[in-house]
Amino acid sequence: MTRSKFLPVDRNDMIERGWDSVDFVYVIGDAYVDHPSFGHAIISRVLESHGYRVGIISQPDWKDKKSIQVFGEPRLGFLVSAGNMDSMVNHYSVSKKRRKTDAYTPGGEMGKRPDYACVVYGNLIRQTYKKTPIILGGIEASLRRLAHYDYWSDRLKRSVLLDSGADIISYGMGERSIVEIADALDAGIPVNELTYIDGTVVKIKDRDRIYDAEFLPSYEDLKADKKTYADSFYTQYLNTDAFNGKRLAEPYSDHLFVVQNPPSKPLSVSEMDDVYSLPYTRTYHPSYEAKGGIPAISEIRFSLISNRGCFGGCSFCALTFHQGRIVQVRSHESLLKEAEIITKEKDFKGYIHDVGGPTANFRHPSCKKQTEHGVCRNRQCLFPKPCGNLDADHSDYVSLLKKLRELPGIKKVFIRSGIRFDYLLADRKRDFLKELCQYHVSGQLKVAPEHVARPVLSLMGKPEHSVYEKFTEEFYKMNAKIGKKQYLVPYLMSSHPGSTLKEAVELAEYCRDLGYMPEQVQDFYPTPSTLSTCMYYTGLDPRTGQKVYVPKNPHEKAMQRALIQYRNPELYDLVLEALKRAGRMDLVGFGPKCLIRPRRSNEKQFSGTRTDKAPRPRKKKKTIRNIHKKK
C-alpha cells in the first residue's frame, strides 16, 4: 500500500498531488483509517468524489496551535470530528475511571485526543482562523447538537455548536448534508447564510429569520426544571424522522437561537452502494505501522456493513437520534464485490467476521409506507409488541448469506452484530433461524435480552421476557433438529433506570435458574441523547411524564451488579447486603433456590477483596457449554 493512495496528511503529500492548497482540512480525534467503517473516511471520500480537495489532520496536539496549521487556511473550511466514539465514552468507563487504552490510536495509546474533543478542536482552530467556516460532524457533535445532559460533568450543557465556536453541525450520517454545505460554500454563499440545509444545526441571531419551526423551551428554562427538559427532549425524539420531522429552535437569548433543521433523507440502495464503492485503501495510514497499527481495525477489517438505521427502538441506544429508524441497505452485488476484495487481502483466513449493522437481521424498512411517509411518530415497530403492519421477512438476508458462503475463498460467514430475536420470531417462516444455526454461529450466539423484570424491560423499550424465553426454546430445538450443540450467551445490563434492588434480585434469580454467571456485566451508561439518559437525569419517563426510580449511588450500583455475579466469592458481602435491603433473606441458605450460603461463624468478613489468606473451596465453574443441559 503506497502513501499516495491516502488523502494528504501533510504539506508534502499535498505537493506530491500537485495541489497548492486544500478545500477542506479534516481534523479528527481518531487515527486516520481509510476504511468505510470510519466516518472520517466516508465523508472525506464523498467530498473527493465531488471534486473537493481534502487534507487530513489526525489527533493534533490540542495544546499547540501550529498542529492545525499543517495545510494553512483551507479554501472552504475546517471539518471537525471527535472520531468514531464520543471522546468521553472513549476515555472513561461508566464509573468515570480513565481507560488504559484507546483502540482508535496507534498502538492503543491513551491520551492522544482531548476530553470534549469537538469543543477543544473547534476553539483551537478559531484561535488562529477567526473567520474560516468550521463544520462539526461525527457521533459526538451529532448527539450533542442541542442542549443535553452530560454525565461526566453531571450537568446540562449547551449545544456543542456554541461551546466549540463552530458555524454549523452536519448531524447524522452526513453524506447528503456535507456535499450541500461544500457546494454552497464553493458557490460563495457565506456560512452564516446556510440556515436551510436538511441534516444540519445552525446558529441564528434574528428570530424573524427562523421559519416553519417549533420552538423548544429556552436553555435557561431547561436548566431550571427537569420536567421541562424531559418534555423538550421528547419533542426532539418525535422529530428524528426525515419525512415528518419538524424544524426545531432552541433559544439561548433574545438574540441567539440554535436551530435544528429536519434530518437528511435516507440513502437509496444505489446511493449506499456508491458510498461503499469509493476508493478506500481499507486500512490505516502507513505512518502508524511503527507503533503497531490501529487496534480497532481488527474488529472490522473482514466484516461487511450491510445496513444502517434501526427500528428496534431501545431506550438506551442513540441510533434513533443519529442514524434514524428507517433501515437503509446495500445491494447484494455491492456486498459480494466487497467480500471478493476482502478474500484477496493477504491476512484473510477465509472467515467473514460479520454481515450486519446496528441490527444484523434488518434488511429493509419495517413497513412499506416508511420510504414515502416516514416512521410513526407515536408508535414503535416492535415495542411493546410487533406492529400489525410490520414486514417481518428475512428472505433477502438469507439469500445474501447464501451467496456470500458460496464465494471462492470463504470458509465461514459469521453474524456478530446484534440479532433482534423478537423480529426473528415475528417472521412466521423459520428459514433464517435454520440458516443462522446451521452456518453462521460458531458454538455461541450472543443476544441481548438485557433484563428479565417487566418494569425495567418496559423502560428499556425491550419485549417481555417471555419473548426471549420463546426464542431460546426455538433456538435449542433448531440446533437439536440439525444435530448441533450451540449455546446462547445473554447480554445483561444492571442499574438501568427503573431497576430497584427488587428487579436486580429477579435478574440474579434468572441467572441462577439458567446456571450461568456472566464474567462481565454492563452497568447502564448515560451517554448523550438517549431516552434512558433523559430518565437518568430527570427521574422521569419523557414518554409518559411518570416518575422513574434511578439507581445513582455507586454502592447501590455495585450491589446490583454483584447480584448478577453472585457466585463470585469476592462479591459475597455486597450480595448479602443487597439481599438484606431487598428483604430477600430467603435466598441465603442451603436450598437449591438460594443464591449464597450463610457465612460460618468463624469466617472472616471481607469487603470487595479477600482479607484472609486461607483459600476457600470453590465449586467448579460452569461453562457456557453446560448451562443449558436441562434444556
Side-chain angles (χ1 to χ4, degrees), residues 36 42 45-46 49 175-176 266-280 282 305-308 328-338 341 363 396 400:
I42 287 181
R45 290 297 186 181
V46 165
S49 72
E175 293 98 342
R176 290 193 190 281
L267 298 185
S268 67
V269 174
S270 62
E271 288 171 326
M272 284 279 283
D273 288 353
D274 289 344
V275 166
Y276 287 88
S277 68
L278 295 171
Y280 306 100
R282 300 186 61 80
I305 298 172
S306 65
N307 61 39
R308 66 172 58 161
Q328 302 147 72
V329 300
R330 295 168 61 188
S331 70
H332 289 198
E333 292 74 21
S334 172
L335 289 158
L336 290 169
K337 183 177 180 180
E338 185 177 358
I341 293 171
R363 275 289 296 173
D396 180 73
L400 170 63

Side-chain angles (χ1 to χ4, degrees), residues 441-509:
V441 178
S442 181
Q444 301 177 10
L445 177 67
K446 295 178 180 179
V447 284
E450 305 293 359
H451 216 281
V452 299
R454 186 189 295 265
V456 182
L457 289 171
S458 177
L459 291 170
M460 286 180 164
K462 300 287 284 187
E464 293 181 358
H465 183 56
S466 60
V467 178
Y468 178 67
E469 291 286 271
K470 173 68 173 173
F471 172 70
T472 61
E473 178 186 350
E474 296 215 12
F475 178 82
Y476 289 111
K477 279 184 179 179
M478 183 60 72
N479 277 283
K481 184 177 179 180
I482 63 177
K484 289 199 170 192
K485 290 186 178 180
Q486 300 185 124
Y487 306 92
L488 292 174
V489 180
Y491 281 128
L492 302 173
M493 183 184 294
S494 63
S495 303
H496 187 275
S499 178
T500 68
L501 285 174
K502 174 179 179 293
E503 284 76 31
V505 170
E506 190 176 338
L507 185 55
E509 291 183 287

